[in-house]
Amino acid sequence: GENVEQHPSTLSVQEGDSAVIKCTYSDSASNYFPWYKQELGKRPQLIIDIRSNVGEKKDQRIAVTLNKTAKHFSLHITETQPEDSAVYFCAASMAGYSTLTFGKGTMLLVSP
Amino acid sequence: KAGVTQTPRYLIKTRGQQVTLSCSPISGHRSVSWYQQTPGQGLQFLFEYFSETQRNKGNFPGRFSGRQFSNSRSEMNVSTLELGDSALYLCASSLGGTAEAFFGQGTRLTVV
């Protein structure tokens, strides 16, 4: 089955800095890669996603890149703000299935 | 429109008992997936249902079971509870395939 590795497990940055979280996946059949943000005590919420026919996608301060050959995908957050502090999960899914295989999560702490 | 609703929000059960958790998806969504979230293991996939059919199953013992009804509502059941079953159980609904998945608030199960 699919296996998703996520690094780092914790990330501390100063407000205004950039943050990068990296994930690798094992199954070349995976073609959908969402990123979820989970604040303390709340449900995971989708912040951005990318499909295998695209190499990069941006949404304001957030961007995701995908390297299908290397089976890597990354989340980039620029100009971080304290409200970006949360746990971020990457995930992978195969065509036709709603099953998400998640990485173990990255706790991002943005200090003012 | 209403989001994904999970009931109950909190449960305390004794070892050996069984428990049933409920998930009502967003109206029009026919896919429901269940996940177990623990601090050590992160988000682990349990089941995926689409139009009352189980399409995929995670690597959990047979004590974990689920079903989906004709109105897309889903239930999961855990029999012979163990202390290690204490976790946040999340369900997610979507239109199916790799469409965006929306999570419920979760059911916090504590086994004592």
Side-chain angles (χ1 to χ4, degrees), chain A residues 26-51:
Chain A
S26 61
D27 195 332
S28 57
S30 291
N31 67 348
Y32 174 63
F33 307 93
W35 286 86
Y36 284 84
K37 175 184 180 181
Q38 187 176 28
E39 297 176 4
L40 190 63
K42 296 191 176 181
R43 72 188 80 191
Q45 292 197 298
L46 181 74
I47 55 171
I48 195 166
D49 57 12
I50 192 167
R51 299 182 186 273

Side-chain angles (χ1 to χ4, degrees), chain B:
Chain B
K1 56 184 175 183
V4 180
T5 303
Q6 291 187 245
T7 57
R9 290 290 311 280
Y10 303 93
L11 268 177
I12 300 176
K13 291 287 188 178
T14 305
R15 273 180 303 174
Q17 288 187 313
Q18 74 167 18
V19 67
T20 300
L21 313 182
S22 179
C23 174
S24 293
I26 291 171
S27 178
H29 285 190
R30 295 163 65 187
S31 175
V32 173
S33 297
W34 288 88
Y35 297 87
Q36 181 194 66
Q37 186 172 28
T38 57
Q41 296 299 318
L43 282 152
Q44 291 188 290
F45 167 72
L46 283 155
F47 321 100
E48 174 191 332
Y49 288 91
F50 185 85
S51 294
E52 301 180 69
T53 300
Q54 186 179 91
R55 302 195 65 197
N56 205 359
K57 188 177 189 301
N59 188 25
F60 279 82
R63 301 183 295 106
F64 291 80
S65 62
R67 58 179 175 169
Q68 186 179 33
F69 302 96
S70 58
N71 62 357
S72 294
R73 189 177 71 86
S74 178
E75 289 181 347
M76 67 164 281
N77 183 277
V78 188
S79 62
T80 320
L81 284 165
E82 300 178 359
L83 295 179
D85 296 333
S86 295
L88 179 68
Y89 290 88
L90 291 159
C91 78
S93 81
S94 76
L95 291 170
T98 54
E100 179 179 352
F102 295 84
F103 281 85
Q105 290 273 40
T107 294
R108 173 73 63 184
L109 172 64
T110 302
V111 183
V112 298

